[in-house]
Structures are given as C-alpha cells and as structure tokens.
Amino acid sequence: MDQRLGLIRDVALELDDTRRRASCVHDVETMLRQRVFGLCLGYEDLNDHQTLRDDHALQTVLGKDTVVASPPTLCRFENRADRA
C-alpha cells in the first residue's frame, strides 16, 4: 500500500538531510519506512530494531538485502526532527 500511495516517499522528500553523504549508509526514506513499519508491527521501542535490522522480511519490504539501520542511527534520525 505504501508503494502504491507513496506517502512515506512524499514525507521523506520534505525532510532535510544535512548529514555528510560520504559517511551515510542509510537514506532518509528507508529509515523512515523502517521506523513506520516497525511501529505498524507493534515495535514501539527503538531497541527492538537491534533484532529487526537482521530480519529478512523487513529487509525485503524495505528493498534491501543487508542489515538496515541500527537503533542509534534511528535515534539520531528521530532527534533531528522538529515541528517544521
């Protein structure tokens, strides 16, 4: 449904990404999708993503074939957000 509607993609395009690109492994859209899908699955705590990052089903849904973002990476991602 997300691919069809493109809601997460559209939100990700509105988020500023001021990180240094050379040292970034995970893009904003993928991290946002990972967090939203984790919440939809009932995983509210970022600590749950330590296990989820190796989950093949989540990786597949995110279009990845390697580990996805770690809890500290997702935490930094969330902490960059402001009301704007």
Side-chain angles (χ1 to χ4, degrees):
M1 187 57 100
D2 175 56
Q3 285 180 327
R4 193 170 185 187
L5 295 176
L7 295 175
I8 293 177
R9 181 196 63 233
D10 291 347
V11 170
L13 291 172
E14 296 298 321
L15 298 175
D16 288 331
D17 188 5
T18 58
R19 300 174 299 160
R20 190 177 60 204
R21 299 273 185 213
S23 58
C24 293
V25 176
H26 308 290
D27 61 87
V28 169
E29 183 178 347
T30 302
M31 288 189 294
L32 183 59
R33 291 178 82 215
Q34 179 181 348
R35 188 64 173 121
V36 169
F37 292 167
L39 289 169
C40 290
L41 292 169
Y43 297 104
E44 297 176 15
D45 296 327
L46 285 175
N47 292 337
D48 295 325
H49 285 273
Q50 186 59 42
T51 302
L52 287 175
R53 67 188 308 229
D54 293 312
D55 185 270
H56 294 286
L58 182 61
Q59 291 170 357
T60 301
V61 168
L62 297 175
K64 303 293 179 186
D65 59 358
T66 59
V67 294
V68 293
S70 66
T73 300
L74 292 173
C75 184
R76 287 189 298 272
F77 171 66
E78 287 186 0
N79 286 333
R80 283 196 338 256
D82 60 16
R83 289 200 178 270

